[in-house]
Amino acid sequence: MMNTKVIDLKDALWLLLLAVLALLPLVPFVSGSFFGMHVLILVLLFASMAQAWNIIGGYCGQVSFGHSVFFGIGAYGAGMAVVTYGGLPWGGILAGMVLAAVVAVIISYPCFKLTGHYFAIATFAIVEIFNRAFLVWEWVGGALGLDYPVIEEGLANLMWYETKEGYYYCALGLFVIVFGIVRWLESHRFGYYMRAVREGQETAESLGVNSTAVKLGAMAISAALAALCGSFFVQYNLRVDPPMVMSLDMSMKFVLVTILGGSGTLAGPLLGAAVLIPLQEYTRAFWGGLGGGVDLMIFGVLIIVIVIKEPAGIIGILAGIGKSLARRGGTAQGGA
Amino acid sequence: MALLEVREVTKKFGQLVANDRISFSVEEGSIVGLIGPNGAGKTTLFNCISGLFKPEGGQVVFDGKDITGEPPYRIARMGAVRTFQVVRPLKDMSVLENVLVGAFLRTSDRGEALTRAEECLRLCNLTAYRDRMAGDLPIGGKKRLEMARALATGPRLLMLDEVMAGLNTTELKAALDVILRLRDSGITLMVVEHVMEGIMPIADKVVVLDGGTKIAEDIPARIVRDERVIEAYLGAKYGRRLKNGTQGGSRD
Amino acid sequence: MSRGSRSFVRWFILAAALCLLVSPLTGAGPALAAEKIIKIGTIFPLTGPVATAGQRCQAAVQTAVEIINNKHPEIKVPLANKEGLLDGYKIVLVHADSQGKPDVGKAEAERLLNQEKVWALIGAYNSSVSKPASFVAERMKRIFMCGSSSSAALTQRDMKYFFRLAPTDATESVDFVEVLKWLNKTKKAGIKTLGVIYENSEFGKHAAEEAKKAAAAGGFKVVADVPFSPGATNLNSEVQTLKGSNPDAVFGAVLGADYSLWVKTMKQAKWLPKIVINYCSGYQDPVIAKQLGPDAEYFMGSSGYSPQFASLMPAVAPVEKIFKSKTGGVPFDGNSIQEAVAMLVLAQAIEKARSLDPDKVAKTLMENTWDSPLSLGGKVKFVKGGQNVQAKSIITQLQNGQYKRIYPEKMADAKIVFPMKPWDKR
Amino acid sequence: METFAQVVLDGLLSGMVYALVAAGLCLIWGVMDVINFAHGEYLMIAMYVSYWLGFLANIDPVVSVIAAGVFIFIIGALTYLLIIRYTVGKPPLAALLATFGLAMFLKNLCLNRFSPNFLILSDTWLGGKTFQLGGLIFPAPQLAAAALALIVVGLVYLLINSTRFGWAVQATAMDREAAELMGIDTERIYILIFGIGGACVGIAGGIMPSYLAVHPEVGSLFGLIAFVCVAMGGFGSIPGAFLAGLLVGVAEALAGFYIAPVFKYIAVFGLYLAVVFLRPKGIFGW
């Protein structure tokens, strides 16, 4: 009865948010603040990364700590297209996405036989293997990494030196693509199948769901989108080496942002990124220079607090506040 | 022609033989009861048919095709769908969404699936719970959800695993009604029950398992008199006493 | 109570999130330009695996700034004897932590330049961080002073605003090979084969490549090429591999904790080559050398500075005193002192250019030869690309816990112990 | 041939150390189904304890292991009381993520308090000493660590398998509610298990300053390898973790010597994948 209407309202809110985000750089005190733009770009990038992870980790329930591998493959795709072959990044981005999806399917197939912590640790191991293999693989630049040459800036080369607006709109485009895909998946058969597999694999199978195919499909989409984010990351930083992109640290960020925001929900990754990334950047800006690791200590404690106090993530906090407001409103009315 | 044929199916767990060369058939459009005391191997057999277990020997033939060892989802897609004795709701999804998962088997269109799901909810008296989280349903609701979900896949053979256990008389009657209605709409049913009362009035045929072997296969009326069945259910001593009792006539 | 505390946490987190979200929008506002200050940004790895080196580099820059801003008649370094620059300008440092990560270093460079409005940057220790960070500065036409990053590639980029003080691994490698030739000639050392052990990172890899190039040019055969993963739990197979091919000489690019593990593992394996020469690395760290004690003896390495150079560089001692007060007594090493030099030379250039126009200062930096009592050669001279061609290092050997100068001969204060004393004869 | 034997010996010895580090993790995992991401940081803190005792009070690491064990026992128990307790009943990842935050906190706390300097104890009893047997060289610190590994792993195994406390632990591990019905104070069991798990790694960390430099990052890789050992050995199986530790050590040594040193850890992690792909629950898993 209400179903379609509710979705419309939700989507309208999303569109409104996007419109605000799209207009943000036009406001002078935002575009004037270079660092502010940087933080906004990172928020959009990490929201997209988390959302990509959310497909397999949140909706499909397979908690992978291996996404930095796909992220890295995407980064190397773009990086090698520009640095090694001296071309435009676009072909590399596409190749990176396809390759990431293929690699994801190949390594996930045996991994999906593992459950719980065995799966998690297997994905740790895969990250370490890729990290170390890329460090010695001369073709991809090995430990030296790839440094971008100075070339013409602009959309064709997907890089800008002096301004952040170009990157910002690209990040926004990335965000729209990734969130759009997840939004579409969520309301279609595949989305329901993913959640069914998460909630009960045998049950889903009994209803005709090929759970292996669903998981592999979700992993492939997730990996391809992670690779897309990776290629943006390398275009943004103009350098790539294995510790930058293929590390457990990077993998943990995929998971943390999603889980702290609220996994398995469309808004969770954005919320997570909108809180964690500014926190990370600003604590570093305020305290990082002292050299005491104070920023990272605060960050660590914050993770602990959120995880044990609010397992549903920030979206849970918002829902709680909404509820308590409603309750308060209710009692107020009752009193009157 | 039989819709489902079970031929000499054998399933072992280590030394334990859970199903020993069991054979029977389920005719199209009929209701077949599969009964037996606890540990008789009913659910194991169910799992063998629905693909959850791979039997060590024998064959399962559905609609003329050998489906032994096929994965569960493929068997479900062919039209043989089962429910679980221990209910398995997809907890963090709403009741409607649970049923939608089933409904998506025959269509990828959301609107069509929605219509079908609503229909199944209505059939199983779940419309009121539609937007509740499946994990929050009372146990009776969860049992009905199992059925609604299976039904939404548009099965030809619906295999129900103890859906009537624990229901009170009114609920039982409603459940039986639903089953009969399903049969009338052309669905073949295979119903596993631990208690006989539920299934006897509506079954066309009853298969009785005990200790992993089939001990009887007949129409309900004859099954209730079958000595081996009575023995299996009440134990050898009671079975003998019961037999003596009937022979002795007016002893008490 | 639990509900109360829970909802408090909720509100707290939400409020914090809102503050942080809003703060980039409002921005820091225009910097107050009332006082006569020159803001200089530093970027070093203050946390993470190479934090030790990063924190010492940061302290070195602070030391230099203290000398520049205040009157220190006891210090014989340009600008020490007056307060500030350009008639009253003082330098204010803004520090940033790169965590040793290129992406973080780049973002911090942008933040310092755009948000903190620093006038120039100093950093970034890791070559892999210096690259993108200096690139940001170059595009914004800001000067980037690089003290200690050693990758030769940095100064092959033709940048206009980039200046590097330290010798590159390329020149160091050539020096090392010279030492081997010198030994062959003067001591009939008979060194023919070479092993290279290096951490598999940008730093180690570069050093090893230059080493192999130099070895080939010098007619030495590289028989063992041993990269390893930094932060290893043990170095057994690395040492076994070296032992297995038994080279006459070993060049090492091994940092920090790995260096002490490497030395100890060689001792356990009862193996030593005739000679070991290290790139600026764990060998140079006076703390590690002290803690390793006798085990560290007879290893060699190149160094732009060590406390035993005092007789060559008398100006260092009073500066080092300030530095030690910031590091809890740790003296300068070859890396950190270069960062102090970077700061001092930059200040001298500002003074000489009489201007805060980065173009003018960069031009001045490039055109002049600078007095630098803290540098081994006493001079600093940049050439196209920003390399300091006066960068010198001395090959030292640890003898009795002292870094003794061995090569070049005219700067030597001790004779080389060659070959290294085997473990069982110590 | 002699080289081969030496390489295998080195591998076995470092494998014993891995086993010792992994034993504590294994115990915690087996009983509580929690992966403690801060395990490597426990190791690091234990090394600091041992280092400072050696530096300030001139106590040798061989003695300090006891203090380090006790200290990390307390830290472990505190971790349970302050963090893990609140993750029970939450998604399985909660504990892992919370301990990730803890690891980050501890690492940077040590950086803040003790500076990032590499700290090395000179003149320890064992440091640099070796025994020679046949052509083989046995380094004393690793030998001591291996002996400790055997003792500690043996004791823990006995504790779990043949004491009343162990029986209660096993009951708790199998079914917490049932154990409580039997009158077992499972909360206490959890605290003690976290403490004992911590003590194991504390002892490992206590001996290590004999041959390893101490710094805030030292634990990370050990922690990761401990995860691999535990998962390779199989859910909560202490003999499994021990065997896996040895396998990891030997694989690392062989790959490092016969392929290339940079392939050491690739071989370790590859071995783990190979094992779990063949036996998804690990060597001794069920």
Side-chain angles (χ1 to χ4, degrees):
Chain A
M1 35 161 198
M2 293 276 291
N3 215 20
T4 47
K5 246 188 184 169
V6 168
I7 286 168
D8 282 351
L9 178 67
K10 250 190 182 169
D11 285 350
L13 280 174
W14 275 107
L15 287 175
L16 190 69
L17 176 72
L18 284 181
V20 171
L21 286 175
L23 294 176
L24 211 49
L26 300 182
V27 187
F29 59 70
V30 175
S31 57
S33 159
F34 219 75
F35 190 62
M37 287 292 280
H38 164 75
V39 173
L40 282 174
I41 290 167
L42 281 197
V43 166
L44 289 175
L45 171 65
F46 277 87
S48 309
M49 286 160 61
Q51 191 65 278
W53 184 86
N54 198 19
I55 296 174
I56 185 75
Y59 286 100
C60 208
Q62 308 297 312
V63 177
S64 145
F65 289 93
H67 266 54
S68 63
V69 168
F70 315 130
F71 186 75
I73 290 175
Y76 270 99
M80 289 181 71
V82 176
V83 180
T84 317
Y85 297 104
L88 298 178
W90 302 99
I93 294 174
L94 206 66
M97 288 175 71
V98 173
L99 193 65
V102 172
V103 169
V105 169
I106 292 171
I107 61 182
S108 303
Y109 186 74
C111 282
F112 280 144
K113 289 188 192 132
L114 309 175
T115 50
H117 293 320
Y118 291 95
F119 180 78
I121 292 174
T123 58
F124 287 164
I126 288 167
V127 173
E128 286 297 315
I129 289 175
F130 267 83
N131 176 303
R132 286 158 204 280
F134 268 61
L135 272 172
V136 291
W137 193 7
E138 298 295 336
W139 185 59
V140 299
L144 297 182
L146 302 172
D147 277 296
Y148 275 48
V150 181
I151 43 177
E152 201 180 325
E153 62 181 344
L155 190 61
N157 276 321
L158 206 61
M159 60 175 76
W160 291 268
Y161 298 118
E162 248 84 322
T163 59
K164 291 268 175 197
E165 275 76 10
Y167 282 123
Y168 179 79
Y169 283 111
C170 281
L172 192 62
L174 178 71
F175 176 81
V176 169
I177 291 172
V178 177
F179 273 65
I181 288 175
V182 174
R183 176 71 192 88
W184 189 88
L185 284 177
E186 197 182 38
S187 61
H188 284 74
R189 173 156 76 177
F190 194 72
Y192 284 89
Y193 276 10
M194 286 194 298
R195 289 162 69 201
V197 168
R198 173 187 73 196
E199 295 295 323
Q201 197 163 315
E202 285 184 358
T203 318
E205 293 242 331
S206 80
L207 297 170
V209 179
N210 182 351
S211 63
T212 313
V214 167
K215 286 193 284 187
L216 288 177
M219 189 56 115
I221 298 171
S222 178
L225 293 179
L228 184 63
C229 296
S231 57
F232 177 82
F233 183 78
V234 65
Q235 292 293 130
Y236 185 65
N237 285 307
L238 304 178
R239 172 184 169 82
V240 59
D241 59 40
M244 259 173 94
V245 291
M246 284 180 181
S247 64
L248 267 185
D249 263 5
M250 191 49 97
S251 278
M252 286 306 286
K253 279 194 185 140
F254 278 89
V255 184
L256 270 175
V257 171
T258 319
I259 302 245
L260 295 189
S263 75
T265 60
L266 189 63
L270 178 62
L271 286 172
V275 171
L276 277 193
I277 299 304
L279 200 73
Q280 172 192 307
E281 298 295 306
Y282 282 97
T283 49
R284 198 180 65 228
F286 289 141
W287 289 297
L290 301 179
V294 176
D295 51 331
L296 298 173
M297 277 159 69
I298 294 175
F299 203 54
V301 170
L302 201 96
I303 291 169
I304 300 176
V305 170
I306 300 186
V307 167
I308 64 183
K309 283 285 177 192
E310 207 46 72
I314 294 157
I315 209 166
I317 299 180
L318 290 181
I321 288 173
K323 256 186 213 161
S324 77
L325 281 182
R327 202 166 49 227
R328 221 168 280 176
T331 45
Q333 270 180 358
Chain B
M1 194 191 107
L3 183 61
L4 177 75
E5 258 187 88
V6 177
R7 295 180 192 153
E8 303 267 309
V9 166
T10 303
K11 175 75 200 167
K12 293 177 196 159
F13 295 106
Q15 294 298 311
L16 181 80
V17 184
N19 289 147
D20 190 10
R21 282 170 287 132
I22 293 174
S23 305
F24 64 89
S25 61
V26 178
E27 302 297 320
E28 179 121 40
S30 67
I31 298 178
V32 172
L34 183 62
I35 65 170
N38 277 334
K42 295 165 300 194
T43 297
T44 305
L45 184 62
F46 232 59
N47 287 342
C48 286
I49 296 171
S50 63
L52 216 52
F53 293 163
K54 198 177 165 154
E56 269 86 39
Q59 272 183 314
V60 182
V61 180
F62 180 72
D63 199 18
K65 285 185 228 53
D66 186 353
I67 58 166
T68 329
E70 291 277 334
Y73 70 90
R74 212 170 286 165
I75 292 171
R77 282 180 190 177
M78 290 168 76
V81 179
R82 53 93 51 94
T83 67
F84 289 95
Q85 177 191 355
V86 181
V87 289
R88 294 180 176 184
L90 306 170
K91 282 185 198 142
D92 274 352
M93 296 171 80
S94 74
V95 169
L96 176 69
E97 287 171 335
N98 263 266
V99 183
L100 267 175
V101 171
F104 271 124
L105 185 58
R106 300 284 170 227
T107 171
S108 64
D109 181 77
R110 192 162 183 277
E112 211 175 299
L114 212 54
T115 323
R116 184 192 282 269
E118 301 271 8
E119 168 76 18
C120 295
L121 284 180
R122 200 176 42 74
L123 205 63
C124 297
N125 295 324
L126 282 167
T127 312
Y129 295 121
R130 187 177 183 280
D131 294 319
R132 283 265 284 272
M133 283 292 134
D136 301 340
L137 282 184
I139 180 69
K142 281 181 185 158
K143 291 233 167 195
R144 294 208 297 279
L145 178 59
E146 284 278 325
M147 209 153 127
R149 215 166 47 188
L151 204 54
T153 63
R156 291 177 65 195
L157 171 69
L158 186 56
M159 303 185 278
L160 304 176
D161 197 351
E162 304 213 3
V163 284
M164 284 176 272
L167 300 187
N168 62 32
T169 335
T170 352
E171 286 170 337
L172 191 68
K173 193 165 173 312
L176 290 178
D177 259 2
V178 172
I179 291 175
L180 285 174
R181 243 188 293 162
L182 292 180
R183 200 255 308 264
D184 293 342
S185 70
I187 297 175
T188 310
L189 287 118
M190 190 162 105
V191 185
V192 163
E193 277 302 326
H194 171 59
V195 284
M196 288 194 269
E197 292 79 11
I199 191 65
M200 287 305 174
I202 57 166
D204 296 306
K205 179 165 88 177
V206 172
V207 177
V208 188
L209 299 187
D210 185 29
T213 53
K214 184 179 88 173
I215 56 171
E217 177 182 0
D218 217 329
I219 58 168
R222 280 206 284 273
I223 286 288
V224 290
R225 287 168 210 278
D226 190 298
E227 284 170 21
R228 292 186 58 192
V229 176
I230 295 167
E231 207 169 287
Y233 263 81
L234 299 175
K237 210 160 82 181
Y238 289 98
R240 226 176 296 125
R241 196 186 292 168
L242 199 65
K243 206 156 78 178
N244 293 343
T246 33
Q247 275 172 355
S250 58
R251 251 240 193 112
D252 40 342
Chain C
M1 182 222 138
S2 92
R3 172 179 288 176
S5 75
R6 197 180 165 83
S7 82
F8 169 74
V9 169
R10 282 179 173 166
W11 281 106
F12 176 77
I13 292 174
L14 191 78
L18 277 177
C19 289
L20 286 167
L21 262 184
V22 170
S23 51
L25 308 185
T26 52
L32 296 172
E35 279 190 77
K36 292 171 99 179
I37 56 169
I38 306 168
K39 278 189 170 185
I40 307 275
T42 73
I43 303 173
F44 292 111
L46 305 178
T47 57
V50 288
T52 314
Q55 298 203 351
R56 286 184 197 159
C57 289
Q58 192 194 39
V61 178
Q62 286 170 329
T63 306
V65 169
E66 199 165 318
I67 295 169
I68 296 163
N69 281 351
N70 301 305
K71 237 184 188 154
H72 284 278
E74 82 281 9
I75 295 177
K76 300 279 173 283
V77 167
L79 302 176
N81 213 357
K82 62 191 278 272
E83 271 186 51
L85 294 170
L86 300 179
D87 308 321
Y89 272 90
K90 297 243 166 143
I91 291 176
V92 173
L93 290 177
V94 184
H95 300 294
D97 177 14
S98 74
Q99 302 174 352
K101 295 175 186 166
D103 51 323
V104 176
K106 174 175 179 273
E108 290 293 275
E110 286 174 347
R111 181 177 68 83
L112 290 174
L113 288 169
N114 289 294
Q115 201 80 2
E116 304 287 347
K117 312 278 183 210
V118 300
W119 183 81
L121 290 174
I122 296 186
Y125 184 73
N126 308 76
S127 297
S128 59
V129 180
S130 292
K131 264 187 211 172
S134 59
F135 191 73
V136 169
E138 181 79 10
R139 295 299 306 193
M140 296 175 67
K141 303 199 186 332
R142 294 289 174 172
I143 293 169
F144 190 105
M145 301 297 294
C146 178
S148 54
S149 301
S150 62
S151 162
L154 282 171
T155 39
Q156 292 160 1
R157 298 178 299 174
D158 251 350
M159 288 189 165
K160 287 198 184 67
Y161 301 89
F162 180 83
F163 301 92
R164 185 241 308 267
L165 277 304
T168 69
D169 36 28
T171 57
E172 286 193 304
S173 301
V174 173
D175 282 353
F176 291 180
V177 170
E178 286 303 316
V179 171
L180 301 187
K181 283 186 186 161
W182 169 67
L183 285 172
N184 277 350
K185 209 163 78 190
T186 59
K187 294 219 158 197
K188 305 218 176 343
I191 298 168
K192 293 192 188 69
T193 55
L194 178 68
V196 190
I197 181 167
Y198 53 100
E199 66 164 43
N200 193 29
S201 66
E202 160 123 25
F203 154 67
K205 185 87 185 161
H206 254 300
E209 274 177 12
E210 297 298 342
K212 283 182 256 180
K213 241 188 269 171
F220 295 95
K221 195 175 164 217
V222 177
V223 291
D225 179 9
V226 188
F228 67 92
S229 308
T233 56
N234 65 63
L235 290 173
N236 294 335
S237 14
E238 287 78 357
V239 169
Q240 285 296 342
T241 307
L242 280 178
K243 188 180 178 180
S245 41
N246 202 19
D248 299 324
V250 169
F251 290 176
V254 187
L255 289 177
D258 293 327
Y259 180 76
S260 80
L261 184 59
W262 175 46
V263 172
K264 289 186 174 198
T265 309
M266 282 201 289
K267 184 177 181 189
Q268 283 170 356
K270 298 185 188 300
W271 178 79
L272 266 183
K274 289 178 186 163
I275 177 172
V276 176
I277 313 183
N278 291 285
Y279 290 87
C280 61
S281 54
Y283 164 79
Q284 271 193 12
D285 185 333
V287 178
I288 290 185
K290 196 170 153 218
Q291 289 172 333
L292 272 176
D295 292 348
E297 291 286 291
Y298 314 120
F299 283 80
M300 299 171 69
S302 71
S303 191
Y305 175 77
S306 84
Q308 281 79 33
F309 292 10
S311 60
L312 291 177
M313 302 152 77
V316 176
V319 180
E320 196 164 47
K321 218 170 122 192
I322 304 176
F323 180 76
K324 277 181 171 174
S325 72
K326 295 179 190 302
T327 56
V330 180
F332 274 126
D333 56 47
N335 285 326
S336 51
I337 201 166
Q338 299 288 7
E339 306 291 349
V341 172
M343 183 67 244
L344 284 169
V345 169
L346 178 62
Q348 284 168 261
I350 294 173
E351 190 73 13
K352 179 147 193 165
R354 306 290 315 159
S355 161
L356 280 176
D357 175 5
D359 283 308
K360 274 191 193 153
V361 177
K363 204 160 160 270
T364 315
L365 267 172
M366 190 59 85
E367 284 171 351
N368 292 281
T369 302
W370 304 97
D371 276 334
S372 175
L374 300 187
S375 295
L376 196 49
K379 299 272 180 230
V380 168
K381 167 72 186 152
F382 297 107
V383 294
K384 197 163 175 292
Q387 177 60 34
N388 169 17
V389 281
Q390 293 285 341
K392 286 207 173 64
S393 55
I394 298 184
I395 311 281
T396 61
Q397 185 174 39
L398 265 173
Q399 297 175 6
N400 297 322
Q402 309 260 305
Y403 291 93
K404 293 290 183 192
R405 305 193 295 272
I406 301 297
Y407 186 89
E409 265 176 301
K410 59 176 187 282
M411 290 193 181
D413 66 348
K415 283 213 161 10
I416 185 170
V417 175
F418 180 89
M420 297 170 82
K421 265 193 199 155
W423 297 110
D424 47 8
K425 303 242 168 67
R426 293 192 176 190
Chain D
M1 191 58 217
E2 202 165 273
T3 317
F4 176 77
Q6 183 69 45
V7 167
V8 172
L9 175 72
D10 285 343
L12 281 175
L13 287 175
S14 53
M16 296 264 209
V17 177
Y18 294 149
L20 181 58
V21 177
L25 189 70
C26 176
L27 190 64
I28 294 169
W29 186 11
V31 177
M32 307 177 60
D33 202 11
V34 161
I35 282 204
N36 177 15
F37 213 94
H39 199 72
E41 277 60 38
Y42 283 9
L43 183 83
M44 180 262 297
I45 294 175
M47 288 173 71
Y48 270 111
V49 170
S50 174
Y51 172 81
W52 286 116
L53 282 176
F55 185 78
L56 298 174
N58 220 357
I59 299 173
D60 195 84
V62 177
V63 183
S64 301
V65 289
I66 299 165
V70 172
F71 193 77
I72 308 299
F73 179 95
I74 296 168
I75 298 228
L78 281 179
T79 306
Y80 177 76
L81 285 172
L82 296 178
I83 298 174
I84 305 297
R85 190 149 60 117
Y86 299 101
T87 65
V88 173
K90 298 209 171 120
L93 263 178
L96 195 149
L97 290 179
T99 49
F100 174 77
L102 178 69
M104 206 163 169
F105 174 77
L106 291 176
K107 196 186 287 183
N108 288 288
L109 182 73
C110 288
L111 178 117
N112 191 302
R113 300 314 329 149
F114 306 136
S115 87
N117 285 341
F118 310 106
L119 306 175
I120 304 160
L121 269 188
S122 23
D123 291 331
T124 54
W125 296 348
L126 301 170
K129 303 221 169 35
T130 51
F131 301 106
Q132 212 147 354
L133 196 73
L136 294 180
I137 301 167
F138 290 76
Q142 280 91 331
L143 208 58
L148 267 181
L150 278 175
I151 294 168
V152 170
V153 171
L155 281 180
V156 169
Y157 186 75
L158 284 180
L159 179 74
I160 299 302
N161 286 295
S162 50
T163 63
R164 215 180 127 69
F165 171 74
W167 170 81
V169 169
Q170 286 187 0
T172 311
M174 270 174 225
D175 189 337
R176 187 176 186 184
E177 278 174 31
E180 270 175 7
L181 289 177
M182 286 188 275
I184 296 170
D185 182 354
T186 57
E187 188 74 4
R188 222 191 79 205
I189 297 268
Y190 279 179
I191 296 172
L192 285 174
I193 283 300
F194 235 93
I196 295 171
C200 289
V201 69
I203 289 169
I207 191 84
M208 277 182 187
S210 301
Y211 68 103
L212 263 186
V214 189
H215 58 104
E217 300 279 334
V218 72
S220 309
L221 189 56
F222 274 105
L224 209 57
I225 290 179
F227 292 155
V228 164
C229 292
V230 170
M232 200 198 284
F235 182 79
S237 162
I238 287 173
F242 192 81
L243 180 65
L246 294 185
L247 278 176
V248 163
V250 172
E252 174 193 301
L254 289 178
F257 187 73
Y258 288 103
I259 305 174
V262 274
F263 284 97
K264 285 206 306 203
Y265 299 107
I266 296 183
V268 168
F269 295 112
L271 175 71
Y272 166 70
L273 289 182
V275 167
V276 290
F277 286 166
L278 292 174
R279 284 186 64 89
K281 297 281 181 191
I283 301 170
F284 287 139
W286 28 263

